[in-house]
Amino acid sequence: MKLTSTRDAAARVTPAAAILRGISPDGGLFVPTEFPAVSLKEMREMAGEDYRARAMRILSAFLTDYDEKTLKGYIEKAYGAQFDGDSPAPVSKLENGKYVLELWHGPTMAFKDMALQLLPHLLTGASKMLGSHQRSLILAATSGDTGKAAMAGFADVPDTAILVFYPHGGVSEAQRLQMVTQRGGNVSAMAVEGNFDDTQTGVKNIFGDKDMTDWLHERGWRFTSANSINFGRLVPQVVYYFSAYADLVQKDEIRCGDPVNFVVPTGNFGNILAGYYAKRMGLPMNRLVCASNSNNVLSEFFADGHYNSHREFHKTLSPSMDILISSNLERLLFEVCGRDGETVKAWMDQLKQKGSYAVPGTVQNHIRENFWAAWADDGMTSEAIGDAFKQYHYLMDPHTAVGYRVYQDYRDITGDDTATVLVSTASPFKFCKDVAHALGERGERSDLEWAKWLTEKSGLVPPESFSELYELPVRHKGVCEKEAMEEAVQNFVASL
Ligand SMILES: *Cc1c(COP(=O)(O)O)cnc(C)c1O
């Protein structure tokens, strides 16, 4: 398997090189030159396998330069006891034809774990394979979920270290505690006096600072990015689409070969893009339903072909989807415009210069054959949490509820009753207060008390890691000015 770039279709790199580099030198994203095919026979076999065996099939089809035994070892480490329950990605049934794929049974209670538990291993493997003698320093800016998932994934992984920056006062209490209590000799988190944009800009500037890069080099380190455009985050996400399908076949909910829909709460377009890759590999899929919150730039794009990021930014109940520039959409554009790197590059240049671009009707049609998109505001999201609980006694978080609401609209408008899987991206306990509010409860309580209330209401118990959060010692107490982020990196490296 070779990869190419969305902005230069002549480029060729190995999977390991793509994972190590993160982004192509031409500014494009790495994409496979072709999609490996998975036959119905293989899907039938997958029905009898566990998540790890399914992951091995899909990952080895993409990561052909990784030794099979090594890859197997990585998978065992990544999808082990840190996930609660029998499977890292179980499917719950609401009623015949309606299912929920739960991607939040990992250490941070959100779907980023599905990829970030594996990525550190893929990265160190790539580094070894390519004979690099430098250790990887991961810097990340986070608005909440990614930071902790990356810290948990990289904790005590040899030859790596990770420093996460988050906006001081800009993340939820549970999210902050998750980061500042993270164990591991090679991890740290730092609050920045500024908002998320300041934090992200600070990290980008450090990545681009030659003096800083040289300084690191001399000490045996190299900057690496773990963000969602890394190919090593995309491939692990393809696995759970196949796994959900295999589960439905195994439980006789569908016959192997029957099409299904997937509904995906979307921000940066990474999760849903992995679903599209699964479809291209042969997974029988009818529609991918793309669900946005009030930051509805994607549903507008799918409706009229105009991508316009110049608009008001809304802070919503589903913060991990508060995004105006969906980076991974670039990978879809590459596929639907006939793999023409120059065209993609022109659109992305326009996006950078004017904040918008438009695609022609042929491209729009291609997208509509595969996707359906809509959005829900905070009021509809809360209502959806209430509806799902009333109708199915199923408790969902606000991100998942955006998907639930959009699926209701999809059914009403299209009449499509194909079996459908709603992809659930976070545990309701990660957003206790908002979920309790949606169920009609009011008043002032601590996070822990809200969690208790939810347990009494639903019978659902939060994972141990959640209650533990409020008792663990705080390890990372640092706060810095946004001008002092470089210094924070140097201090961190010196402490390693
Ligand atoms: C990151 C995230 C999303 C959005 O996923 P994308 O791959 O960026 O589209 C949705 N829900 C939760 C809880 C997340 O953490």
Side-chain angles (χ1 to χ4, degrees):
M1 162 80 55
K2 283 282 191 292
L3 305 185
T4 183
S5 160
T6 51
R7 298 191 197 177
D8 175 11
R12 290 290 179 276
V13 298
T14 61
I19 289 170
L20 207 57
R21 284 187 207 158
I23 191 159
S24 178
D26 51 48
L29 310 189
F30 291 117
V31 288
T33 48
E34 61 191 333
F35 290 102
V38 179
S39 67
L40 285 180
K41 178 173 166 283
E42 284 173 279
M43 287 178 228
R44 219 169 278 123
E45 287 165 7
M46 281 165 104
E49 296 174 346
D50 67 3
Y51 192 83
R52 294 175 185 191
R54 294 168 182 171
M56 188 58 199
R57 283 182 190 259
I58 303 302
L59 289 161
S60 60
F62 280 105
L63 308 178
T64 46
D65 52 345
Y66 284 73
D67 168 70
E68 293 227 340
K69 223 174 103 202
T70 310
L71 197 54
K72 213 166 170 187
Y74 293 163
I75 290 171
E76 269 159 31
K77 277 191 217 151
Y79 303 111
Q82 67 270 53
F83 285 84
D84 64 35
D86 300 333
S87 162
V91 174
S92 274
K93 180 174 181 176
L94 296 179
E95 63 175 282
N96 281 340
K98 293 185 186 172
Y99 311 89
V100 184
L101 169 61
E102 297 175 350
L103 301 180
W104 39 263
H105 291 274
T108 78
M109 299 156 61
F111 102 96
K112 305 280 192 299
D113 289 331
M114 300 306 299
L116 279 167
Q117 283 296 311
L118 187 66
L119 181 69
H121 303 295
L122 297 180
L123 207 56
T124 45
S127 188
K128 271 194 207 121
M129 227 185 291
L130 299 173
S132 167
H133 297 298
Q134 273 158 332
R135 294 171 286 173
S136 299
L137 176 65
I138 291 92
L139 290 190
T142 184
S143 59
D145 284 335
T146 306
K148 170 65 180 188
M151 289 173 88
F154 281 97
D156 293 325
V157 173
D159 299 323
T160 72
I162 176 165
L163 174 59
V164 169
F165 292 101
Y166 65 94
H168 195 36
V171 301
S172 80
E173 183 59 3
Q175 285 173 327
R176 188 185 72 83
L177 286 175
Q178 281 191 325
M179 289 189 274
V180 298
T181 60
Q182 175 65 45
R183 295 184 192 92
N186 63 338
V187 306
S188 191
M190 175 72 70
V192 178
E193 297 282 9
N195 60 26
F196 175 63
D197 280 335
D198 299 327
T199 312
Q200 190 162 41
T201 305
V203 167
K204 276 191 191 153
N205 290 344
I206 297 174
F207 273 129
D209 183 336
K210 176 127 188 348
D211 289 344
M212 196 60 199
T213 318
D214 290 345
W215 185 88
L216 269 188
H217 251 259
E218 285 162 21
R219 283 155 187 81
W221 291 90
R222 153 176 41 76
F223 281 132
T224 309
S225 159
N227 66 19
S228 86
I229 54 176
N230 192 308
F231 186 67
R233 278 188 60 179
L234 187 54
V235 189
Q237 293 175 178
V238 177
V239 175
Y240 50 72
Y241 287 92
F242 279 96
S243 177
Y245 193 87
D247 274 355
L248 293 181
V249 171
Q250 195 267 331
K251 291 176 192 155
D252 282 329
E253 298 289 338
I254 58 170
R255 278 170 312 177
C256 194
D258 288 351
V260 295
N261 298 318
F262 283 89
V263 181
V264 189
T266 300
N268 223 353
F269 210 74
N271 193 350
I272 195 167
L273 182 83
Y276 176 74
Y277 276 25
K279 184 174 187 183
R280 294 291 301 266
M281 293 165 76
L283 191 69
M285 222 186 265
N286 182 29
R287 279 252 157 25
L288 279 154
V289 177
C290 175
S292 306
N293 63 25
S294 305
N295 297 295
N296 57 358
V297 60
L298 281 171
S299 36
E300 203 178 272
F301 172 69
F302 285 144
D304 67 10
H306 281 258
Y307 194 98
N308 182 5
S309 69
H310 275 181
R311 57 175 68 224
E312 201 186 332
F313 176 85
H314 297 281
K315 274 184 103 114
T316 72
L317 293 177
S318 44
S320 299
M321 291 154 64
D322 291 346
I323 285 173
L324 293 180
I325 296 184
S326 284
S327 323
N328 277 295
L329 184 64
E330 181 171 343
R331 287 187 161 112
L332 176 68
L333 293 174
F334 182 73
E335 300 303 330
V336 295
C337 80
R339 308 200 124 214
D340 174 356
E342 276 173 39
T343 301
V344 173
K345 183 171 179 335
W347 288 332
M348 292 303 116
D349 286 344
Q350 285 169 32
L351 180 64
K352 196 164 179 188
Q353 282 149 21
K354 321 183 296 183
S356 66
Y357 61 88
V359 302
T362 45
V363 168
Q364 288 176 51
N365 290 340
H366 208 118
I367 292 177
R368 283 198 203 110
E369 280 167 28
N370 295 293
F371 293 87
W372 193 91
W375 61 285
D377 66 17
D378 278 355
M380 300 178 207
T381 304
S382 282
E383 212 174 79
I385 292 172
D387 284 356
F389 192 71
K390 205 162 117 198
Q391 194 167 359
Y392 301 113
H393 204 74
Y394 189 88
L395 200 61
M396 55 180 64
D397 96 290
H399 301 80
T400 310
V402 169
Y404 184 80
R405 167 61 194 233
V406 165
Y407 175 58
Q408 286 175 323
D409 292 346
Y410 173 77
R411 282 283 292 240
D412 289 348
I413 292 167
T414 64
D416 177 16
D417 62 0
T418 305
T420 297
V421 179
L422 169 61
V423 178
S424 174
T425 52
S427 157
F429 285 102
K430 211 164 178 181
F431 302 91
C432 290
K433 186 171 129 197
D434 294 331
V435 173
H437 278 189
L439 299 180
E441 186 69 5
R442 289 282 173 271
E444 285 298 317
R445 284 173 222 208
S446 70
D447 260 17
L448 267 185
E449 285 168 326
W450 280 122
K452 216 190 247 164
W453 185 86
L454 283 181
T455 295
E456 275 161 23
K457 183 92 178 168
S458 67
L460 217 62
V461 182
E464 234 169 75
S465 62
F466 175 79
S467 321
E468 220 182 64
L469 263 188
Y470 298 83
E471 290 156 18
L472 289 174
V474 171
R475 290 161 190 270
H476 313 293
K477 296 183 178 145
V479 183
C480 74
E481 298 292 331
K482 56 189 184 212
E483 295 78 18
M485 289 169 64
E486 279 201 4
E487 198 184 318
V489 173
Q490 290 176 331
N491 291 340
F492 176 59
V493 171
S495 77
L496 290 167

Coordinates of all heavy atoms in Angstrom, one line a residue, residues 327-387:
S327 N -11.2 19.9 8.7 CA -9.9 19.6 7.9 C -10.1 18.3 7.0 O -9.6 18.3 5.9 CB -8.8 19.4 8.9 OG -8.8 20.2 9.9
N328 N -10.7 17.3 7.6 CA -10.7 16.0 6.8 C -11.6 16.0 5.6 O -11.6 15.1 4.8 CB -11.1 14.9 7.8 CG -9.9 14.4 8.5 OD1 -8.9 13.8 7.9 ND2 -9.8 14.6 9.8
L329 N -12.5 17.1 5.5 CA -13.3 17.2 4.3 C -12.4 17.2 3.0 O -12.8 16.7 2.0 CB -14.1 18.4 4.3 CG -15.1 18.6 3.2 CD1 -16.2 17.6 3.2 CD2 -15.8 20.0 3.3
E330 N -11.2 17.7 3.2 CA -10.3 17.7 2.0 C -10.1 16.3 1.4 O -9.9 16.2 0.2 CB -8.9 18.3 2.5 CG -7.9 18.4 1.4 CD -6.7 19.2 1.8 OE1 -6.7 19.9 2.8 OE2 -5.6 19.1 1.1
R331 N -10.1 15.3 2.3 CA -9.9 13.9 1.8 C -11.1 13.5 1.0 O -10.9 12.8 0.0 CB -9.6 13.0 3.0 CG -8.3 13.1 3.6 CD -8.0 12.0 4.6 NE -6.6 11.8 4.9 CZ -6.0 12.1 6.1 NH1 -6.8 12.6 7.1 NH2 -4.8 11.9 6.3
L332 N -12.3 13.9 1.4 CA -13.5 13.5 0.6 C -13.4 14.2 -0.8 O -13.7 13.6 -1.8 CB -14.7 13.8 1.4 CG -16.0 13.6 0.6 CD1 -16.2 12.1 0.4 CD2 -17.2 14.2 1.3
L333 N -13.1 15.5 -0.7 CA -13.0 16.3 -2.0 C -12.1 15.6 -3.0 O -12.4 15.6 -4.2 CB -12.6 17.7 -1.7 CG -13.5 18.6 -0.8 CD1 -12.9 19.9 -0.5 CD2 -14.9 18.8 -1.6
F334 N -11.0 15.2 -2.5 CA -10.0 14.5 -3.4 C -10.7 13.3 -4.1 O -10.5 13.1 -5.3 CB -8.8 14.1 -2.6 CG -7.7 13.4 -3.4 CD1 -6.9 14.2 -4.2 CD2 -7.5 12.0 -3.3 CE1 -5.9 13.6 -4.9 CE2 -6.5 11.4 -4.0 CZ -5.7 12.2 -4.8
E335 N -11.4 12.5 -3.3 CA -12.1 11.3 -3.9 C -13.2 11.7 -4.9 O -13.3 11.1 -6.0 CB -12.7 10.4 -2.8 CG -11.7 9.9 -1.8 CD -10.6 9.1 -2.4 OE1 -10.8 8.5 -3.5 OE2 -9.4 9.1 -1.9
V336 N -14.0 12.7 -4.6 CA -15.1 13.0 -5.4 C -14.8 13.9 -6.6 O -15.7 14.2 -7.4 CB -16.3 13.6 -4.6 CG1 -16.8 12.5 -3.6 CG2 -15.9 14.9 -3.9
C337 N -13.6 14.5 -6.7 CA -13.3 15.3 -7.8 C -12.4 14.6 -8.8 O -11.8 15.2 -9.7 CB -12.7 16.7 -7.4 SG -11.0 16.6 -7.0
G338 N -12.4 13.3 -8.7 CA -11.6 12.5 -9.6 C -10.1 12.5 -9.3 O -9.3 12.4 -10.1
R339 N -9.8 12.6 -8.0 CA -8.4 12.5 -7.5 C -7.5 13.5 -8.2 O -6.4 13.2 -8.7 CB -7.9 11.1 -7.6 CG -8.8 10.1 -7.0 CD -8.1 8.8 -6.7 NE -8.2 8.5 -5.3 CZ -7.3 7.9 -4.5 NH1 -6.1 7.6 -5.1 NH2 -7.5 7.6 -3.3
D340 N -8.0 14.8 -8.3 CA -7.3 15.8 -9.0 C -6.7 16.8 -8.0 O -7.4 17.7 -7.4 CB -8.3 16.5 -9.9 CG -7.7 17.7 -10.6 OD1 -6.5 18.1 -10.3 OD2 -8.3 18.3 -11.4
G341 N -5.4 16.6 -7.7 CA -4.7 17.3 -6.6 C -4.7 18.8 -6.8 O -4.8 19.6 -5.9
E342 N -4.6 19.2 -8.1 CA -4.5 20.6 -8.4 C -5.9 21.3 -8.1 O -5.9 22.5 -7.6 CB -4.2 20.9 -9.9 CG -2.7 20.8 -10.0 CD -2.2 20.9 -11.5 OE1 -2.9 21.6 -12.2 OE2 -1.3 20.1 -11.8
T343 N -7.0 20.7 -8.4 CA -8.3 21.2 -8.1 C -8.5 21.4 -6.6 O -8.9 22.4 -6.1 CB -9.4 20.4 -8.7 OG1 -9.2 20.3 -10.1 CG2 -10.8 20.9 -8.4
V344 N -8.1 20.3 -5.8 CA -8.2 20.4 -4.4 C -7.4 21.5 -3.8 O -7.8 22.3 -3.0 CB -7.8 19.0 -3.7 CG1 -7.8 19.2 -2.2 CG2 -8.8 17.9 -4.2
K345 N -6.1 21.6 -4.3 CA -5.2 22.7 -3.9 C -5.8 24.1 -4.1 O -5.8 24.9 -3.2 CB -3.9 22.6 -4.6 CG -2.9 23.6 -4.0 CD -1.5 23.3 -4.6 CE -0.4 24.3 -4.1 NZ -0.9 25.6 -3.7
A346 N -6.5 24.3 -5.3 CA -7.1 25.6 -5.6 C -8.2 25.9 -4.6 O -8.3 27.0 -4.1 CB -7.6 25.6 -7.0
W347 N -9.0 24.9 -4.3 CA -10.1 25.1 -3.3 C -9.6 25.4 -1.9 O -10.0 26.4 -1.3 CB -11.0 23.9 -3.2 CG -11.9 23.6 -4.4 CD1 -12.4 24.6 -5.2 CD2 -12.4 22.4 -4.8 NE1 -13.1 24.0 -6.2 CE2 -13.2 22.6 -6.0 CE3 -12.3 21.0 -4.4 CZ2 -13.8 21.6 -6.7 CZ3 -12.9 20.0 -5.1 CH2 -13.7 20.3 -6.3
M348 N -8.5 24.7 -1.5 CA -7.9 24.9 -0.2 C -7.2 26.3 -0.1 O -7.3 27.0 0.9 CB -7.0 23.8 0.2 CG -7.7 22.5 0.4 SD -9.0 22.5 1.7 CE -10.4 22.2 0.7
D349 N -6.6 26.7 -1.2 CA -6.0 28.1 -1.2 C -7.1 29.1 -1.1 O -6.9 30.1 -0.4 CB -5.3 28.3 -2.6 CG -4.0 27.5 -2.6 OD1 -3.5 27.1 -1.5 OD2 -3.4 27.3 -3.7
Q350 N -8.3 28.9 -1.8 CA -9.4 29.9 -1.6 C -9.9 29.9 -0.2 O -10.2 31.0 0.3 CB -10.5 29.5 -2.6 CG -10.2 29.9 -4.0 CD -11.3 29.2 -5.0 OE1 -12.4 29.1 -4.6 NE2 -10.8 28.9 -6.1
L351 N -10.0 28.7 0.4 CA -10.4 28.7 1.8 C -9.5 29.5 2.7 O -9.9 30.2 3.6 CB -10.5 27.2 2.2 CG -11.0 27.0 3.7 CD1 -12.4 27.4 3.9 CD2 -10.9 25.5 4.1
K352 N -8.2 29.3 2.5 CA -7.2 30.1 3.3 C -7.3 31.6 3.0 O -7.3 32.4 4.0 CB -5.8 29.5 3.0 CG -4.8 29.9 4.0 CD -3.6 29.1 3.9 CE -2.6 29.5 5.0 NZ -1.3 28.9 4.8
Q353 N -7.4 32.0 1.8 CA -7.4 33.4 1.4 C -8.7 34.1 1.7 O -8.8 35.2 2.3 CB -7.0 33.6 0.0 CG -5.5 33.4 -0.2 CD -5.2 32.9 -1.6 OE1 -6.0 32.9 -2.5 NE2 -4.0 32.3 -1.8
K354 N -9.9 33.5 1.3 CA -11.2 34.2 1.4 C -12.1 33.5 2.4 O -13.2 34.0 2.6 CB -11.9 34.2 0.1 CG -11.1 34.4 -1.2 CD -12.0 34.5 -2.4 CE -12.8 33.1 -2.6 NZ -13.6 33.1 -3.8
G355 N -11.7 32.4 2.9 CA -12.6 31.7 3.9 C -13.7 30.9 3.2 O -14.6 30.4 3.9
S356 N -13.7 30.8 1.9 CA -14.7 30.0 1.2 C -14.3 29.5 -0.1 O -13.3 29.9 -0.7 CB -16.0 30.9 1.0 OG -15.6 31.9 0.1
Y357 N -15.1 28.5 -0.6 CA -14.9 28.0 -2.0 C -16.2 27.3 -2.4 O -17.0 27.1 -1.6 CB -13.7 27.0 -2.1 CG -13.8 25.7 -1.2 CD1 -14.5 24.6 -1.7 CD2 -13.3 25.7 0.1 CE1 -14.7 23.5 -0.9 CE2 -13.5 24.6 0.9 CZ -14.1 23.5 0.4 OH -14.3 22.4 1.2
A358 N -16.3 27.0 -3.7 CA -17.5 26.4 -4.2 C -17.1 25.2 -5.2 O -16.2 25.4 -5.9 CB -18.4 27.4 -5.0
V359 N -17.9 24.1 -5.1 CA -17.6 23.0 -6.0 C -18.7 22.9 -7.0 O -19.8 23.2 -6.7 CB -17.4 21.7 -5.1 CG1 -16.3 21.8 -4.1 CG2 -18.8 21.3 -4.5
P360 N -18.3 22.3 -8.2 CA -19.3 22.2 -9.3 C -20.4 21.2 -9.0 O -20.2 20.3 -8.1 CB -18.5 21.9 -10.5 CG -17.3 21.2 -10.0 CD -17.0 21.9 -8.6
G361 N -21.5 21.2 -9.8 CA -22.6 20.3 -9.7 C -22.2 18.8 -9.7 O -22.8 18.0 -9.0
T362 N -21.3 18.5 -10.6 CA -20.9 17.0 -10.7 C -20.4 16.5 -9.4 O -20.7 15.4 -8.9 CB -19.8 16.9 -11.8 OG1 -18.8 17.9 -11.5 CG2 -20.3 17.0 -13.2
V363 N -19.5 17.4 -8.7 CA -19.0 17.0 -7.4 C -20.1 16.9 -6.4 O -20.1 15.9 -5.6 CB -17.9 18.0 -7.0 CG1 -17.5 17.8 -5.6 CG2 -16.7 17.9 -7.9
Q364 N -21.0 17.8 -6.4 CA -22.1 17.8 -5.5 C -22.9 16.5 -5.6 O -23.3 15.9 -4.6 CB -23.0 19.0 -5.7 CG -22.5 20.3 -5.2 CD -23.4 21.5 -5.6 OE1 -24.6 21.5 -5.3 NE2 -22.8 22.5 -6.2
N365 N -23.2 16.1 -6.9 CA -24.0 14.9 -7.1 C -23.3 13.7 -6.5 O -23.9 12.8 -5.9 CB -24.2 14.7 -8.6 CG -25.2 15.7 -9.1 OD1 -25.9 16.4 -8.4 ND2 -25.1 16.0 -10.4
H366 N -22.0 13.6 -6.7 CA -21.2 12.5 -6.2 C -21.3 12.4 -4.7 O -21.5 11.3 -4.1 CB -19.8 12.7 -6.6 CG -19.0 11.5 -6.8 ND1 -18.4 11.1 -8.0 CD2 -18.7 10.5 -5.9 CE1 -17.8 10.0 -7.8 NE2 -18.0 9.6 -6.5
I367 N -21.3 13.6 -4.1 CA -21.4 13.6 -2.6 C -22.8 13.2 -2.2 O -22.9 12.4 -1.2 CB -21.0 15.0 -2.1 CG1 -19.6 15.3 -2.3 CG2 -21.4 15.1 -0.6 CD1 -19.1 16.7 -1.9
R368 N -23.8 13.7 -2.9 CA -25.2 13.3 -2.5 C -25.5 11.9 -2.6 O -26.4 11.4 -2.0 CB -26.2 14.2 -3.3 CG -26.2 15.6 -2.8 CD -27.4 16.4 -3.2 NE -27.1 17.8 -3.2 CZ -27.0 18.5 -4.2 NH1 -27.2 18.1 -5.4 NH2 -26.7 19.8 -4.1
E369 N -24.8 11.2 -3.5 CA -25.1 9.7 -3.6 C -24.7 9.0 -2.3 O -25.2 7.9 -2.0 CB -24.2 9.1 -4.8 CG -24.8 9.4 -6.1 CD -23.7 9.1 -7.2 OE1 -22.8 8.2 -7.0 OE2 -23.8 9.7 -8.3
N370 N -23.8 9.6 -1.6 CA -23.2 8.9 -0.4 C -23.7 9.5 0.9 O -23.7 8.8 1.9 CB -21.7 8.9 -0.5 CG -21.2 8.1 -1.6 OD1 -21.4 6.8 -1.6 ND2 -20.6 8.7 -2.6
F371 N -23.9 10.8 0.9 CA -24.2 11.6 2.2 C -25.5 12.2 2.2 O -26.1 12.6 1.2 CB -23.1 12.6 2.4 CG -21.7 12.1 2.6 CD1 -20.9 11.8 1.5 CD2 -21.2 11.8 3.9 CE1 -19.6 11.3 1.7 CE2 -20.0 11.3 4.1 CZ -19.2 11.0 3.0
W372 N -26.0 12.5 3.4 CA -27.2 13.3 3.6 C -26.8 14.1 4.9 O -26.2 13.6 5.8 CB -28.4 12.4 3.9 CG -29.7 13.2 3.9 CD1 -30.5 13.3 2.8 CD2 -30.4 13.8 5.0 NE1 -31.6 14.1 3.1 CE2 -31.6 14.4 4.5 CE3 -30.1 14.0 6.3 CZ2 -32.5 15.1 5.3 CZ3 -31.0 14.7 7.1 CH2 -32.2 15.2 6.6
A373 N -27.1 15.4 4.9 CA -26.6 16.2 6.0 C -27.7 17.2 6.5 O -28.5 17.7 5.8 CB -25.4 17.1 5.5
A374 N -27.7 17.4 7.8 CA -28.6 18.3 8.5 C -28.0 18.7 9.8 O -26.9 18.2 10.2 CB -30.0 17.8 8.6
W375 N -28.6 19.6 10.5 CA -28.1 20.1 11.8 C -29.2 20.3 12.8 O -30.3 20.3 12.5 CB -27.3 21.4 11.6 CG -28.1 22.6 11.0 CD1 -28.6 22.7 9.8 CD2 -28.6 23.7 11.8 NE1 -29.3 23.9 9.7 CE2 -29.3 24.5 10.9 CE3 -28.4 24.1 13.1 CZ2 -29.9 25.7 11.3 CZ3 -29.0 25.3 13.5 CH2 -29.8 26.1 12.6
A376 N -28.7 20.4 14.1 CA -29.7 20.6 15.2 C -29.1 21.7 16.1 O -27.9 21.6 16.4 CB -29.9 19.3 15.9
D377 N -29.9 22.6 16.6 CA -29.4 23.6 17.5 C -29.5 23.0 18.9 O -30.0 21.9 19.1 CB -30.1 24.9 17.4 CG -31.6 24.8 17.7 OD1 -32.0 23.9 18.4 OD2 -32.4 25.7 17.3
D378 N -29.1 23.9 19.9 CA -29.1 23.4 21.3 C -30.4 22.9 21.8 O -30.6 21.9 22.6 CB -28.5 24.4 22.3 CG -26.9 24.4 22.2 OD1 -26.4 23.5 21.6 OD2 -26.3 25.3 22.9
G379 N -31.5 23.7 21.4 CA -32.8 23.4 21.9 C -33.2 22.0 21.4 O -33.8 21.1 22.1
M380 N -33.0 21.7 20.1 CA -33.3 20.4 19.5 C -32.5 19.3 20.1 O -33.0 18.2 20.3 CB -33.1 20.4 18.0 CG -33.8 21.5 17.2 SD -33.4 21.4 15.5 CE -33.6 23.0 14.9
T381 N -31.2 19.6 20.5 CA -30.3 18.6 21.0 C -30.9 18.2 22.4 O -30.9 17.0 22.7 CB -28.9 19.2 21.2 OG1 -28.5 19.7 19.9 CG2 -27.9 18.2 21.7
S382 N -31.2 19.2 23.2 CA -31.8 18.8 24.6 C -33.1 18.0 24.4 O -33.3 17.0 25.2 CB -32.2 20.1 25.3 OG -31.0 20.7 25.8
E383 N -33.9 18.4 23.5 CA -35.2 17.7 23.3 C -34.9 16.3 22.9 O -35.6 15.4 23.4 CB -35.9 18.4 22.1 CG -37.4 18.4 22.2 CD -37.9 19.3 21.1 OE1 -38.0 18.8 20.0 OE2 -38.3 20.5 21.4
A384 N -33.9 16.1 22.1 CA -33.5 14.7 21.6 C -33.1 13.9 22.7 O -33.4 12.7 22.8 CB -32.4 14.8 20.5
I385 N -32.3 14.4 23.7 CA -31.9 13.6 24.8 C -33.1 13.2 25.6 O -33.2 12.0 26.0 CB -31.0 14.5 25.8 CG1 -29.6 14.8 25.1 CG2 -30.7 13.8 27.1 CD1 -28.7 15.8 25.8
G386 N -34.1 14.1 25.8 CA -35.3 13.7 26.5 C -36.1 12.7 25.7 O -36.6 11.7 26.3
D387 N -36.2 12.9 24.4 CA -37.0 11.9 23.5 C -36.4 10.5 23.6 O -37.2 9.5 23.8 CB -36.9 12.3 22.1 CG -37.8 13.5 21.7 OD1 -38.5 13.9 22.7 OD2 -37.7 14.0 20.6

